[in-house]
Amino acid sequence: MLPLTNEIDVQGRGDAAREARDRVVRMLQDWRLPLSEEILQAVRLCTSELVANAVEHGGGTCRVRASWTGSHLRVDVIDTSSNAPETGCPTWDAIRGRGMLLVESLATTWGWEPRGDGKTVYALFALDTSTGPGAQSAPAPVLAAG
């Protein structure tokens, strides 16, 4: 049954990043992967950032692919821009420019690959061994409504 792979097309609307991350996390939950809530949160944030970048810099639409090999999860975002993603070095008061730094800090690794009609930016997440048999993952944080 391995590997597991699924793709979704994302339209460049204001809710594109939210829609993509929610669909990817639902997909992973349906696959019942051994990922902790912490890893799922990292996947959620990285997917949001990669899709937001693709929509803004890559022509408005993109494709998101999630692939599970049994030992790691890879999230690809495919767009039509050939420009490399930038991690940059934003000033402390910059409103933008931290997305790829966030991906770099949350994913096990990330990278990009040129394609004939654009590029693929990916984030890789390793198997969370703390969710194996007999292990307990930490409960998700509860956010109080304000």
Side-chain angles (χ1 to χ4, degrees):
M1 190 65 144
L2 291 176
L4 298 171
T5 300
N6 201 355
E7 294 182 358
I8 59 173
D9 290 319
V10 179
Q11 300 302 314
R13 300 184 306 260
D15 63 346
R18 180 191 52 78
E19 178 186 342
R21 73 176 179 237
D22 291 349
R23 289 177 66 188
V24 166
V25 169
R26 268 195 314 274
M27 180 190 324
L28 302 180
Q29 290 168 333
D30 289 347
W31 287 350
R32 300 186 186 278
L33 301 180
L35 302 173
S36 69
E37 185 60 30
E38 181 180 345
I39 296 294
L40 284 175
Q41 290 295 336
V43 170
R44 181 177 282 122
L45 285 169
C46 290
T47 301
S48 290
E49 290 299 331
L50 296 178
V51 169
N53 285 347
V55 167
E56 181 176 347
H57 303 292
T61 62
C62 63
R63 173 166 284 204
V64 179
R65 178 187 306 126
S67 304
W68 173 252
T69 67
S71 63
H72 68 271
L73 170 71
R74 178 173 162 147
V75 176
D76 296 318
V77 176
I78 303 150
D79 67 35
T80 58
S81 170
S82 59
N83 295 330
E86 297 178 18
T87 54
C89 189
T91 61
W92 69 272
D93 59 344
I95 296 172
R96 307 171 60 102
R98 293 181 178 84
M100 292 311 298
L101 292 172
L102 180 66
V103 171
E104 187 174 88
S105 70
L106 293 173
T108 302
T109 191
W110 75 276
W112 73 284
E113 302 159 348
R115 298 171 49 93
D117 60 347
K119 69 177 173 303
T120 299
V121 182
Y122 65 87
L124 201 64
F125 302 88
L127 174 69
D128 185 352
T129 57
S130 67
T131 61
Q136 295 181 348
S137 57
V142 177
L143 303 176

